[in-house]
Amino acid sequence: MVDLLQRFGRGWIGAFERFGRATLFLLQVIIGLPSLFGRGFLLVKQLYSTGVMTLLIILVSGLFVGMVLALQGYNSLVRFSAEEALGQFVALVLFRELAPVLTALLFAGRAGSAMTSEIGLMKATEQLAGLEMMAVDPYKRVYAPRLLAAFIAVPALTAMFGAVAILGGHLVGVEMLGVDAGAYWSQMQSEVSFRHDVLSGMLKALVFGFVICWIAIFEGADCIPTSEGVSSATTRTVVYSSLAVLGLDFVLTALMF
Amino acid sequence: MSNVITLDENAESLVKIRDLHFQRGSKQIFRGIEMDLPRGQITTIMGPSGTGKTTLLKLIGGQLKPAKGSIEVDGQNVPKLSRSALYALRKRMGMLFQSGALLTDLTVFDNVAFPVREHTDLPESLVRHLVLMRLHAVGLRGARDLYPAELSGGMARRVALARALILDPTMIMYDEPFTGQDPISMGVLLDLIKTVNSALGLTSIIVSHDLHESMSISDYVVIVSDGVVVEAGTPEALRASESPWVQQFLQGKSDGPVPFQLEAPDYRDDLLGAKHG
Ligand SMILES: Nc1ncnc2c1ncn2[C@@H]1O[C@H](COP(=O)(O)OP(=O)(O)O)[C@@H](O)[C@H]1O
Ligand SMILES: [Mg+2]
């Protein structure tokens, strides 16, 4: 019994200690951010490998999510003869919830895990230590560009996810199920507020991108430098960032809507 | 045992280590190690695997902080330096990691150019000139467009050497440069370390457990075991040493003052599954 309590306590202390380290780590990365001025190529490279490489999966998923939304929405709305409101329904669900959350989850699985394993392998193969010995600060050279890139990429990807999903909704709702095209678009325009719905969705995306990248680079930098260490760190990145995204989504929704 | 080893009085030393203590977890790796490494010469630090040779290099490079003691490099106490002073000092230190530690997303050329591009604003034509000179010195000018994954271990280490030399350091540290080298690249490497040291006026510190190779090019040898310096001197002096420890190490015998077995419960009890602990 005492043993159990002890282990429980130790687990919590360990978790707090790790969170403290992660916070210090984040501070150091943020301090490194200004060094990116004048070294835009580092950012561009990361934007490419995190953002552009995730684009395809985001576009395909967005299309299908929009199509499914239209199908489900239509089936419910048509019972109340409210199928004209399909555009509004699709857009609201997307901008407020699905686009930021699904984009973030896909980003965590595709780019976050890649970031962790890349940094973890750099650690395991002494590349990080090598950088330090060449008087190059990994916080500025390796972590800061990744954090900024995720911060930019996730909102941009969210916007694209939303746009493609609305097109998908149009495809199913208007082209297949025969909702009036004018109604689809005009209901959407009149009922969706840019400030309230679109911007708050984007705010979510900013927060998600930041948190996912924080988790991903910290797990990479903090991993045990062996093959098992890197692989379990990669798993942790996906698990923790997915949980963080869903948890934060609840908090942010409660605060904003 | 007194561990202060002073060289002949007029040789100036670049690295001075005094009363250095370091531990990892509960394992005491260094307990009061002391050494002076002469400027402009090749020094080898030898010791059995796991004594903390790599750890010592990381301490000298400021990547680890000692629990106690001082490490002076060129008059500066490394553990006490500010971050910026440490980074300034590191620009004058080259380090060759066991694995080479090349950046895998860059070509050989870009790897060698990396420190120059990070730390200077030299025009690209000059960078190219410098890089090709260094690559030529290690015999790998033809490999400039390859990626690290396409190099053999020996080639990767030579590229890393070119990279470590590109900023004209005062001092270069080699971590186990000879392990896993075939006889030909071993010869090449030995020659390189020697010529580079004399041609560029470097101070070289080699960490190794390869006895004969290291002895053959060193001006000075330090033997470390069990957290302290056991013996130090010129290779000739060591060969003539009476110390049973040194003789065991030089002759590679498995029993003597250094046990072959890591501390463990009694072998017979262990095999019979007698419970302990
Ligand atoms: N990151 C680490 N964490 C904990 N212990 C370590 C770590 N690195 C090395 N050690 C331990 O420190 C001791 C010295 O390691 P090292 O300096 O690599 O030895 P050497 O290079 O002489 O073979 C070893 O016993 C090793 O187990
Ligand atoms: Mg070692």
Side-chain angles (χ1 to χ4, degrees):
Chain A
M1 185 65 201
V2 172
D3 184 53
L4 198 71
L5 272 179
Q6 248 181 7
R7 241 186 297 166
F8 188 70
R10 208 173 300 143
W12 274 103
I13 292 172
F16 273 117
E17 192 257 0
R18 200 143 190 272
F19 186 74
R21 253 186 304 140
T23 310
L24 285 180
F25 175 85
L26 179 65
L27 284 180
Q28 272 182 283
V29 179
I30 291 174
I31 293 170
L33 281 175
S35 70
L36 287 175
F37 282 112
R39 301 175 43 116
F41 68 97
L42 287 176
L43 181 64
V44 171
K45 195 171 165 199
Q46 287 311 315
L47 275 175
Y48 179 77
S49 65
T50 56
V52 178
M53 298 309 233
T54 321
L55 190 59
L56 187 64
I57 178 175
I58 292 284
L59 293 182
V60 174
S61 318
L63 188 68
F64 280 110
V65 168
M67 284 161 55
V68 169
L69 269 183
L71 211 54
Q72 292 280 16
Y74 181 84
N75 287 340
S76 305
L77 291 171
V78 80
R79 275 193 272 157
F80 310 102
S81 310
E83 66 269 24
E84 316 280 76
L86 186 65
Q88 176 198 351
F89 168 79
V90 169
L92 278 186
V93 172
L94 277 172
F95 283 128
R96 287 183 170 194
E97 286 300 332
L98 289 186
V101 171
L102 290 180
T103 304
L105 293 178
L106 290 170
F107 186 83
R110 170 68 181 75
S113 60
M115 242 184 247
T116 303
S117 58
E118 188 189 6
I119 294 175
L121 277 175
M122 285 180 81
K123 182 175 180 183
T125 55
E126 296 179 312
Q127 292 180 57
L128 291 180
L131 283 178
E132 281 187 26
M133 284 307 297
M134 287 188 281
V136 174
D137 188 348
Y139 286 92
K140 294 179 183 162
R141 186 70 172 59
V142 180
Y143 310 140
R146 283 172 172 76
L147 188 70
L148 193 58
F151 199 62
I152 297 170
V154 175
L157 290 170
T158 300
M160 289 185 230
F161 185 101
V164 172
I166 285 173
L167 285 182
H170 175 89
L171 209 65
V172 169
V174 177
E175 308 288 334
M176 272 174 57
L177 301 171
V179 175
D180 180 53
Y184 184 83
W185 294 108
S186 68
Q187 282 268 343
M188 190 186 302
Q189 275 174 13
S190 61
E191 297 299 326
V192 177
S193 124
F194 180 73
R195 217 181 67 79
H196 194 238
D197 300 314
V198 179
L199 275 193
S200 26
M202 284 299 142
L203 187 66
K204 280 184 178 178
L206 274 179
V207 174
F208 294 162
F210 182 76
V211 171
I212 292 171
C213 188
W214 176 20
I215 293 174
I217 54 183
F218 176 72
E219 286 293 348
D222 196 56
C223 76
I224 300 164
T226 59
S227 1
E228 305 93 70
V230 175
S231 84
S232 64
T234 309
T235 311
R236 275 201 304 275
T237 291
V238 176
V239 173
Y240 290 169
S241 48
S242 306
L243 289 177
V245 164
L246 296 172
L248 280 171
D249 184 48
F250 176 75
V251 175
L252 290 173
T253 307
L255 288 178
M256 290 190 306
F257 294 102
Chain B
M1 172 178 350
S2 152
N3 296 312
V4 190
I5 285 99
T6 29
L7 300 164
D8 51 322
E9 247 68 272
N10 45 17
E12 194 200 350
S13 55
L14 182 69
V15 180
K16 279 191 200 136
I17 298 179
R18 290 289 175 272
D19 193 31
L20 180 69
H21 289 253
F22 183 78
Q23 63 183 52
R24 265 197 148 127
S26 59
K27 191 170 180 228
Q28 191 75 34
I29 296 181
F30 297 122
R31 32 188 165 186
I33 216 166
E34 315 225 332
M35 57 177 85
D36 286 294
L37 308 183
R39 191 188 285 272
Q41 300 195 349
I42 301 179
T43 299
T44 298
I45 301 172
M46 277 197 265
S49 296
T51 28
K53 301 182 299 296
T54 303
T55 309
L56 185 63
L57 291 188
K58 289 191 172 169
L59 282 162
I60 296 176
Q63 292 193 295
L64 297 172
K65 291 247 180 292
K68 192 174 149 215
S70 69
I71 304 162
E72 268 185 30
V73 176
D74 210 7
Q76 293 176 284
N77 188 4
V78 176
K80 293 275 182 318
L81 288 180
S82 70
R83 201 177 169 80
S84 55
L86 180 61
Y87 272 48
L89 181 63
R90 279 181 185 165
K91 285 181 202 168
R92 298 195 286 129
M93 289 181 183
M95 173 141 172
L96 220 70
F97 286 85
Q98 233 158 325
S99 58
L102 296 174
L103 298 167
T104 44
D105 58 338
L106 300 180
T107 61
V108 164
F109 185 95
D110 290 334
N111 259 292
V112 178
F114 184 83
V116 191
R117 290 180 177 154
E118 285 290 318
H119 295 307
T120 69
D121 287 323
L122 293 182
E124 204 49 30
S125 57
L126 206 54
V127 173
R128 188 183 131 85
H129 203 86
L130 280 174
V131 171
L132 292 184
M133 255 165 62
R134 289 296 185 241
L135 278 177
H136 186 76
V138 298
L140 289 176
R141 204 157 37 84
R144 73 186 93 164
D145 293 324
L146 299 180
Y147 279 90
E150 301 168 283
L151 301 175
S152 72
M155 281 156 82
R157 240 170 269 189
R158 275 148 68 192
V159 173
L161 178 58
R163 183 177 71 173
L165 293 174
I166 192 125
L167 287 179
D168 278 323
T170 322
M171 167 181 141
I172 182 161
M173 299 186 274
Y174 301 87
D175 192 359
E176 308 274 5
F178 310 119
T179 40
Q181 299 277 7
D182 60 77
I184 295 176
S185 46
M186 175 85 84
V188 172
L189 202 65
L190 284 169
D191 277 348
L192 259 177
I193 293 177
K194 221 174 158 65
T195 44
V196 153
N197 193 75
S198 53
L200 303 179
L202 285 171
T203 300
S204 306
I205 302 174
I206 302 171
V207 141
S208 176
H209 57 238
D210 287 280
L211 203 69
H212 300 288
E213 289 73 23
S214 343
M215 294 278 265
S216 71
I217 55 164
S218 303
D219 301 306
Y220 188 67
V221 178
V222 181
I223 299 181
V224 176
S225 173
D226 217 8
V228 291
V229 172
V230 182
E231 195 75 68
T234 58
E236 297 71 41
L238 283 190
R239 284 201 190 90
S241 164
E242 305 268 291
S243 153
W245 202 105
V246 175
Q247 286 311 320
Q248 184 199 349
F249 194 75
L250 295 189
Q251 288 160 26
K253 287 190 291 207
S254 71
D255 58 344
V258 185
F260 161 68
Q261 289 281 350
L262 199 63
E263 216 171 297
D266 185 77
Y267 189 34
R268 185 162 173 278
D269 286 353
D270 228 3
L271 286 181
L272 293 175
K275 47 188 176 302
H276 47 77

